């Protein structure tokens, strides 16, 4: 399996889950699960290994375990499972917390042959007991806040005959909203500290007549504040262009009532639950049927009132239904044969004209145009509006921000697909697959949007590139839902038709098109895999999964999907070889190895495989080799390039990400390259790409020609490993020795210590080598020492710790601890001990606890050095047995070799010793008072 990361991270984890079926407990299986996460850490794509996948019947328990939900959360099935032409069963689940629905959550289990293969969707993490689900306000008390938020002049339930219309269209007694208690994210609240958190809210379906709008409005059930909204009426780009499709065959219904004249009406009962087209008569509440006496709906009969556009709406709905049924096996927009209702001559101003069309959650409404457009019943607009209906029943993408842009973009995709198929059947003139609403402007030129060139109408073709909209949610375009759809449109166009160029991020791309039919199958499965708040990164991840499911992980379709996303600035590209006789057969990095055969030119990364552990600021060695057939007496030179996506932005084009450049060799194996991970590399799983090609500088996107491309995951960490085998040896009453095993990538080691049960670790300094002599210890005292490796960029790894206690008395024959002879003797003994325990390191320095050092038998009891460590100056003080302090007369400083490096009279006036000229390290100062034996104290020069 393969998967590509976004601004989200990947985790390879093992989950233990207990599944119950029909009241019986099963053993808890170990589920090897590959989880793709969003940037906020929430799971959105979960794969199961086939051998350990949960049974379809156990999906609710498996999903709960995979999403890590608490005991007060549950996942409840929504409707019946949907089975597709590929043998998959798709069952959607809604999250509930303490029995209250959690909005915008939708987890779908995708099963085949009775086992769950993967799960898509999203849940909300709500800690058990963290949310009060008893409302402080009633629904009636919360409704005025929702109405004030909408601010309409007139609402649908205030119109005449609204009850009859509500029963006819939606099967309910009235449009007046009744509150439903839900949990929803607070995205509109005034208190920034509460933004983004789930709250208990009343959910209202507010259908406004003037000005027209319809949306779910959420009111905090405790505070009465509006915290979220989700538009139900989705406008086609804010305004639409329209055109007639000409005279086309339509299915109608014959009506004969008593002695009244017979007539035909635009009711098609041959498709699903029926296709019904009504006359809104530009007057709210006055919906009637279109009628014709002989079923020959001629322009002469119907053009006076522009009634002929009812035929466009009826024909467009039928062609859209046929497209979904024939190409995707979907029975109407809901998959279960829901009736399709269209309302022509819609108007909110009683005849002034309406420059739009929309889907309101139950039907499609078409205005006659006003200042910009003619009647908005063109084929692509019809398909676009029904596309919103399909989206509502699949991913239900929230109509705001990036999820809203995807919602609009998918509707444009289906507009293009329906139009292309219908044109191929009926040879309709004047239509362009890759523009939306191209035939309808009063000027007779232009279009609303272009999928092949979004920039033409000021829409972006690159994620966050030129023309990208940053408008806020709740403003005119609700976070750029129409404008930013250009990115998805251009992705689909490139996936279908192919193309090459350089995007707004400066990345050159080449995409080999796979045709509109295959692209549509991938887009449809992608839309079904998405969940309500999915963004562009999620869309890429699900599109890659869809291509893998439909066509395989190393298919041309898989490559085209990834490269088309790279072209629009989302994620990385796929470079691939031609599947020639020469291929990459071995890759090793640290403990990670992969031996492989000819993978057909490309092998995707898999987070189910082990990942090589890489440490920042450490040099690593990559080993690689070539396999395949080379003719006798022939020499085949191969160029090798390697890349790591250090900043995890989905591509390999950033500075420093090319870790091996055009290394060439005639040899087949034994090849190596070294590289150092920069300190700026992001931690966690990221992709590494290795390219073997017949020529230098292979392309990042598309075919590299002869050779192969392999991708692998590496796991980058911030710190070095803890030193192994930290041991203490040659413990004396006043000395000891530490040894440890070298840490790969370490340039130095940091040592710290504490005495007894103290909490504070003292820091003598940083050293090289893997052996340290300790002297100046106090007899009968417990010490704890810890050692950590330090990298070249001065990051410190984990510590290893050892504790020991010095003997109470100096054994007979042991030299005084402060004598040079004692230090040398202890070193020799420690080296012998180190050899015996198998440490193959040599000593390089000595170190000792710092601070006050006793002077046995002298009139002066102690000497003190401060600050310690010192940088430029050092204050030295002598203290006698009575506690009287005095300054030394002379000072001599010796290094660890015992060589004198400084001898001077002490400046008693300033009380300091100048040590700025000393090399950083550990030193011993010998102090003499006027009439006293010498006293020694150790200090560190930084």
């Amino acid at each position: 399996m393969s998967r590509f990361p976004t601004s989200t991270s990947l985790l390879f984890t093992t989950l233990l889950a207990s599944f119950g079926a029909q009241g019986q407990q099963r053993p808890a299986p170990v589920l090897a699960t590959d989880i793709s996460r969003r940037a906020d850490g929430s799971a959105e794509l979960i794969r199961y290994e086939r051998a350990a996948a949960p049974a379809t019947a156990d999906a609710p328990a498996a999903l709960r375990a995979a999403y890590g939900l608490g005991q007060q959360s549950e996942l409840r099935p929504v409707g019946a499972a949907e089975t597709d032409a590929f043998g998959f069963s798709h069952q959607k689940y809604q999250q509930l917390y303490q029995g209250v629905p959690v909005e915008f959550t939708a987890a779908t289990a995708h099963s085949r042959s009775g086992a769950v293969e993967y799960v898509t969707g999203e849940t909300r993490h709500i800690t058990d007991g963290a949310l009060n689900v008893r409302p402080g306000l009633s629904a009636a008390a919360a409704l005025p806040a929702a109405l004030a938020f909408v601010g309409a002049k007139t609402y649908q339930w205030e119109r005449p005959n609204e009850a009859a219309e509500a029963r006819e269209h939606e099967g309910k007694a009235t449009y007046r909203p009744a509150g439903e208690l839900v949990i929803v994210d607070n995205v509109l609240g005034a208190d920034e500290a509460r933004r983004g958190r789930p709250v208990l809210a009343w959910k209202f379906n507010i259908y406004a007549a003037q000005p027209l709008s319809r949306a779910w409005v959420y009111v905090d059930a405790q505070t009465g504040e509006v915290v979220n909204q989700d538009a139900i009426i989705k406008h086609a780009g804010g305004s639409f262009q329209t055109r007639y499709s000409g005279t086309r065959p339509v299915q109608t219904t014959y009506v004969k009532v008593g002695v009244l004249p017979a007539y035909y009406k635009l009711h098609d009962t041959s498709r699903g639950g029926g296709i019904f087209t009504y006359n809104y008569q530009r007057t709210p509440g006055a919906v009637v049927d279109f009628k014709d006496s002989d079923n020959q709906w001629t322009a002469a009969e119907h053009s006076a009132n522009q009634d002929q556009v009812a035929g466009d709406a009826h024909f467009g709905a039928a062609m859209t239904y046929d497209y979904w049924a024939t190409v995707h096996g979907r029975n109407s927009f809901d998959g279960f044969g829901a009736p399709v209702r269209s309302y022509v001559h819609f108007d909110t101003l009683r005849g002034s004209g309406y420059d739009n069309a929309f889907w309101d959650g139950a039907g499609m409404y078409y205005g006659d145009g006003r200042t910009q457009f003619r009647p908005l019943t063109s084929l692509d607009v019809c398909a676009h509006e029904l596309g919103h209906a399909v989206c509502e029943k699949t991913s239900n993408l929230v109509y705001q921000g990036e999820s809203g842009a995807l919602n609009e973009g998918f509707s444009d995709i289906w507009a293009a697909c329906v139009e292309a198929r219908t044109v191929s059947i009926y040879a309709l003139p004047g239509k362009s697959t890759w523009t939306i609403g191209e035939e309808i402007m009063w000027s007779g030129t232009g279009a609303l949007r272009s999928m092949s060139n979004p920039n033409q109408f000021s829409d972006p073709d690159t994620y966050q590139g030129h023309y990208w909209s940053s408008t806020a949610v709740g403003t005119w375009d609700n976070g750029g839902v129409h404008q930013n759809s250009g990115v998805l449109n251009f992705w689909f166009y490139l996936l279908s038709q192919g193309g090459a160029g350089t995007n707004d991020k400066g990345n050159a791309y080449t995409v080999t098109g796979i045709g509109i039919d295959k692209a549509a199958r991938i887009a449809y499965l992608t839309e079904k895999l998405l969940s309500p708040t999915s963004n562009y990164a999620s869309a890429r991840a699900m599109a890659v999964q869809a291509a893998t499911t439909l066509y395989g992980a190393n298919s041309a379709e898989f490559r085209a999907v990834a490269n088309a996303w790279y072209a629009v600035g989302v994620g990385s590209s796929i470079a691939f070889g031609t599947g020639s006789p020469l291929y990459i057969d071995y890759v090793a990095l640290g403990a990670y190895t992969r031996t492989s055969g000819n993978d057909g030119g490309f092998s995707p990364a898999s987070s189910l495989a082990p990942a090589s552990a890489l440490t920042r600021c450490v040099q690593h060695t990559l080993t690689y080799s070539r396999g395949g057939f080379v003719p006798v007496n022939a020499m085949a030179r191969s160029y090798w390039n390697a890349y790591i996506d250090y900043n995890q932005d989905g591509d390999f084009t950033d500075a420093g990400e090319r870790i091996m450049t055009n290394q060439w060799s005639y040899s087949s194996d034994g090849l190596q390259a070294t590289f150092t991970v920069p300190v700026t590399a992001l931690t966690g799983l990221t992709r590494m790409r290795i390219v073997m090609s017949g020529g230098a500088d292979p392309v990042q996107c598309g075919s590299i020609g002869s050779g192969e491309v392999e991708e692998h995951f590496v796991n980058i960490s911030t710190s070095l490993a803890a030193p192994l085998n930290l041991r203490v040896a040659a413990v004396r009453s006043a000395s000891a020795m530490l040894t440890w095993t070298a840490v790969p990538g370490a340039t130095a080691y940091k040592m710290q210590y504490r005495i007894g049960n103290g909490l504070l670790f003292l820091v003598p300094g940083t050293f090289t080598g893997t052996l340290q002599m300790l002297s100046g210890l106090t007899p009968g005292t417990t010490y704890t020492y810890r050692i950590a490796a330090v990298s070249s960029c001065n990051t410190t790894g984990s510590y290893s710790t050892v504790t020991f206690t010095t003997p109470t008395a100096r054994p007979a024959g042991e030299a005084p601890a402060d004598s040079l002879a004692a230090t040398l003797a202890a070193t020799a003994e420690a080296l012998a001990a180190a050899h015996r325990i198998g440490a193959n390191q040599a000593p390089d320095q000595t170190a000792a606890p710092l601070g006050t050092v006793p002077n046995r038998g002298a009139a002066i009891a102690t000497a003190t050095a401060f600050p310690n460590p010192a940088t430029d100056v050092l204050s030295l003080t002598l203290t006698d047995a009575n506690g009287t302090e005095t300054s030394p007369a002379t000072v001599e400083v010796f290094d660890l070799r015992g060589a004198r490096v400084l001898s001077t009279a002490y400046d008693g006036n300033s009380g300091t010793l100048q040590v700025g000229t000393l090399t950083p390290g550990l030193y011993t100062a010998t102090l003499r008072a006027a009439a006293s034996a010498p006293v020694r104290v150790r200090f560190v020069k930084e």
Side-chain angles (χ1 to χ4, degrees):
M1 295 182 182
S2 67
R3 182 178 50 72
F4 295 84
T6 63
S7 58
T8 66
S9 63
L10 304 174
L11 295 177
F12 177 65
T13 182
T14 301
L15 299 176
L16 297 177
S18 177
F19 304 111
Q22 300 175 356
Q24 298 179 353
Q25 292 291 323
R26 287 188 175 188
V30 177
L31 300 179
T33 307
D34 180 24
I35 303 181
S36 173
R37 298 185 184 274
R38 295 185 179 184
D40 63 2
S42 61
E44 66 175 358
L45 173 59
I46 303 167
R47 295 195 190 96
Y48 295 94
E49 287 187 347
R50 182 67 182 174
T56 301
D58 298 329
L63 267 63
R64 280 196 49 160
Y67 283 108
L69 299 181
Q71 293 300 313
Q72 293 181 344
S73 292
E74 65 173 305
L75 290 170
R76 186 173 295 174
V78 178
E82 178 184 338
T83 301
D84 62 24
F86 302 97
F88 274 94
S89 173
H90 310 277
Q91 177 63 63
K92 184 178 291 188
Y93 295 85
Q94 161 88 48
Q95 181 184 355
L96 290 88
Y97 175 79
Q98 295 187 31
V100 179
V102 181
E103 289 291 274
F104 311 146
T105 59
T108 303
H110 307 273
S111 304
R112 184 162 51 181
S113 302
V116 178
E117 291 196 9
Y118 59 96
V119 177
T120 57
E122 59 182 300
T123 59
R124 296 291 184 272
H125 177 73
I126 306 175
T127 304
D128 286 350
L131 194 61
N132 180 11
V133 297
R134 290 189 175 183
L137 297 173
S138 66
L143 179 59
L147 298 179
F149 178 80
V150 175
K153 295 179 180 179
T154 308
Y155 293 94
Q156 291 287 9
W157 60 88
E158 297 172 336
R159 296 186 299 105
N161 303 318
E162 70 91 16
E165 183 179 324
R167 282 193 297 271
E168 171 68 20
H169 297 168
E170 301 188 6
K172 59 185 183 182
T174 179
Y175 283 117
R176 184 173 182 83
E180 175 190 359
L181 205 59
V182 299
I183 294 169
V184 70
D185 289 343
N186 179 352
V187 300
L188 297 176
D191 184 359
E192 293 186 5
R194 299 180 67 240
R195 292 243 188 99
R197 298 181 181 180
V199 297
L200 185 72
W202 287 107
K203 174 183 178 182
F204 297 103
N205 184 339
I206 309 295
Y207 200 162
Q210 179 61 33
L212 178 69
S213 69
R214 191 175 193 181
W216 296 108
V217 179
Y218 300 85
V219 179
D220 192 316
Q222 312 296 347
T223 67
E225 180 183 34
V226 174
V227 293
N228 210 326
Q229 69 166 332
D230 182 19
I232 299 172
I233 290 181
K234 282 86 173 177
H235 297 282
S239 58
F240 271 102
Q241 309 151 12
T242 189
R243 172 183 177 165
Y244 306 121
S245 293
T247 303
R248 299 298 159 192
V250 292
Q251 295 294 317
T252 60
T253 296
Y254 177 75
V255 179
K256 183 69 172 72
V257 179
V259 297
L260 297 176
Y263 63 91
Y264 295 85
K265 60 183 179 180
L266 295 176
H267 290 200
D268 177 358
T269 59
S270 68
R271 293 173 167 91
I275 295 175
F276 308 97
T277 302
Y278 300 101
N279 186 353
Y280 200 85
Q281 299 190 101
R282 305 180 182 90
T283 304
V287 176
V288 297
D289 279 311
F290 287 100
K291 300 178 182 179
D292 188 88
S293 60
D294 60 1
N295 213 21
Q296 299 299 311
W297 304 72
T298 65
E301 293 175 292
H302 299 286
S303 62
N305 196 37
Q306 298 193 87
D307 284 351
Q308 72 271 37
V309 299
D312 289 271
H314 201 63
F315 174 71
M319 293 301 97
T320 303
Y321 177 94
D322 290 353
Y323 169 81
W324 285 104
T326 302
V327 177
H328 300 295
R330 187 176 185 88
N331 184 5
S332 190
F333 59 85
D334 69 342
F336 297 99
V340 178
R341 295 185 175 92
S342 300
Y343 300 89
V344 179
H345 299 321
F346 175 82
D347 203 328
T348 61
L349 299 176
R350 298 181 182 273
S352 297
Y354 187 72
D355 258 343
N356 221 323
F358 60 88
W359 163 261
D360 79 337
M364 298 181 295
Y365 291 76
Y366 300 97
D368 287 338
R370 186 179 183 189
T371 60
Q372 291 180 282
F373 309 120
R374 299 169 183 147
L376 286 94
T377 52
S378 65
L379 178 60
D380 52 2
V381 173
C382 294
H384 177 104
E385 298 308 331
L386 270 174
H388 283 306
V390 172
C391 181
E392 180 181 301
K393 300 302 181 181
T394 54
S395 55
N396 195 25
L397 290 161
V398 179
Y399 204 64
Q400 58 184 232
E402 290 189 28
S403 59
L406 293 172
N407 192 322
E408 279 292 327
F410 277 114
S411 281
D412 281 354
I413 287 172
W414 306 131
C417 292
V418 169
E419 189 171 84
R421 181 178 183 273
T422 306
V423 167
S424 70
I425 295 172
Y426 292 102
L428 299 179
K431 297 189 182 296
S432 172
T433 298
W434 303 112
T435 52
I436 305 299
E438 66 275 4
E439 304 166 287
I440 58 150
M441 298 189 71
W442 280 110
S443 63
T445 61
L448 186 61
R449 286 184 293 276
S450 170
M451 301 179 72
S452 60
N453 180 19
N455 288 174
Q456 181 181 356
F457 298 105
S458 300
D459 296 324
D461 62 10
T462 304
Y463 182 72
Q464 295 184 342
H466 299 315
Y467 301 112
W468 179 266
S469 173
S470 298
T471 59
V473 172
T475 58
W476 173 79
D477 201 26
N478 211 20
V481 297
H482 294 103
Q483 194 164 340
N484 294 341
S485 65
V487 174
L488 185 65
N489 287 347
F490 193 49
W491 167 79
F492 185 78
Y493 170 78
L494 290 174
L495 180 62
S496 303
Q497 305 300 302
T502 301
N503 65 20
D504 293 346
K505 296 183 177 181
N507 295 332
Y509 62 84
T510 300
V511 182
T512 301
I514 61 174
I516 194 171
D517 291 337
K518 286 184 175 180
R521 292 187 183 99
I522 292 171
Y524 176 46
L525 182 53
T526 299
E527 187 172 13
K528 293 202 295 185
L529 298 182
L530 293 173
S531 53
T533 63
S534 292
N535 57 15
Y536 268 110
S538 302
R540 183 194 185 280
M542 298 310 166
V544 169
Q545 174 61 36
T548 302
T549 299
L550 296 175
Y551 300 106
N554 193 22
S555 61
E557 294 81 3
F558 170 88
R559 299 169 187 171
V561 165
N563 285 337
W565 278 116
Y566 175 74
V568 298
V570 184
S572 66
S573 62
I574 294 295
F576 53 91
T578 57
S580 67
L582 297 179
Y583 54 87
I584 302 170
D585 68 351
Y586 180 77
V587 172
L589 182 57
Y592 170 77
T593 60
R594 181 180 188 267
T595 302
S596 61
N598 192 334
D599 295 311
F602 174 73
S603 175
S606 172
S607 62
L608 290 176
S612 176
L614 303 183
T615 305
R616 292 197 302 205
C617 304
V618 172
Q619 187 180 80
H620 302 276
T621 300
L622 175 67
T623 303
Y624 51 96
S625 68
R626 182 185 71 189
F629 173 74
V630 178
V632 178
N633 298 325
M635 299 182 70
R637 180 166 67 174
S638 295
Y639 287 88
W640 294 83
N641 288 269
Y643 313 81
I644 296 179
D645 183 16
Y646 285 132
N647 63 358
Q648 297 180 16
D649 67 346
D651 61 49
F652 300 101
T653 61
D654 301 288
E657 293 189 340
R658 193 172 186 175
I659 64 171
M660 180 170 60
T661 303
N662 289 332
Q663 297 293 319
W664 63 269
S665 176
Y666 291 109
S667 176
S668 295
D669 52 30
L671 306 175
Q672 289 187 332
T674 60
F675 64 94
T676 299
V677 178
V679 67
T680 55
L682 297 183
T683 59
L685 283 179
T686 189
R687 285 189 307 133
M688 175 178 68
R689 174 177 292 177
I690 300 174
V691 181
M692 182 205 71
S693 59
D697 292 316
V699 296
Q700 283 284 325
C701 177
S703 176
I704 63 168
S706 176
E708 188 176 41
V709 178
E710 286 191 353
E711 292 190 350
H712 310 260
F713 275 113
V714 296
N715 196 354
I716 297 176
S717 63
T718 58
S719 62
L720 299 164
L724 299 176
N725 302 315
L726 175 61
R727 304 179 185 182
V728 62
V731 180
R732 298 296 189 92
S733 60
S735 64
M737 184 192 74
L738 297 180
T739 63
W740 59 90
T741 302
V743 176
T747 57
Y749 296 91
K750 181 180 291 186
M751 182 170 71
Q752 299 179 348
Y753 77 97
R754 67 184 179 191
I755 301 174
N757 295 322
L759 299 177
L760 180 64
F761 274 92
L762 304 176
V763 185
T766 302
F767 313 94
T768 58
T770 57
L771 183 149
Q772 284 294 314
M773 287 302 306
L774 312 177
S775 60
L777 306 180
T778 302
T781 302
T782 298
Y783 292 91
T784 297
Y785 276 81
R786 63 184 189 181
I787 303 292
V790 180
S791 71
S792 62
C793 56
N794 205 33
T795 58
T796 301
S798 301
Y799 283 94
S800 290
T801 304
V802 66
T803 300
F804 63 92
T805 302
T806 57
T808 302
R810 188 169 71 246
E814 180 183 337
D818 54 359
S819 71
L820 180 60
T823 300
L824 294 176
T827 301
E829 182 177 339
L831 284 173
H835 181 73
R836 287 194 298 273
I837 65 175
N840 297 320
Q841 299 84 23
D844 57 345
Q845 296 183 36
T846 59
L850 307 178
T852 301
V853 177
N855 182 45
R856 300 178 183 87
I860 298 298
T862 59
T864 303
F866 178 82
N868 200 354
T871 303
D872 298 314
V873 296
L874 187 70
S875 296
L876 298 169
T877 304
L878 294 171
T879 305
D880 63 18
N882 297 320
T884 303
E885 294 185 355
T886 184
S887 296
T890 62
V891 179
E892 292 180 302
V893 178
F894 299 88
D895 64 14
L896 289 177
R897 302 168 300 168
R900 184 168 57 191
V901 295
L902 185 64
S903 179
T904 181
Y906 186 71
D907 185 355
N909 293 325
S910 66
T912 60
L913 177 70
Q914 300 297 320
V915 295
T917 59
L918 297 179
T919 303
L922 183 64
Y923 294 89
T924 300
T926 301
L927 286 61
R928 286 183 174 84
S932 175
V935 183
R936 296 181 179 87
V937 64
R938 292 177 176 84
F939 69 92
V940 171
K941 165 63 172 63
E942 289 186 328

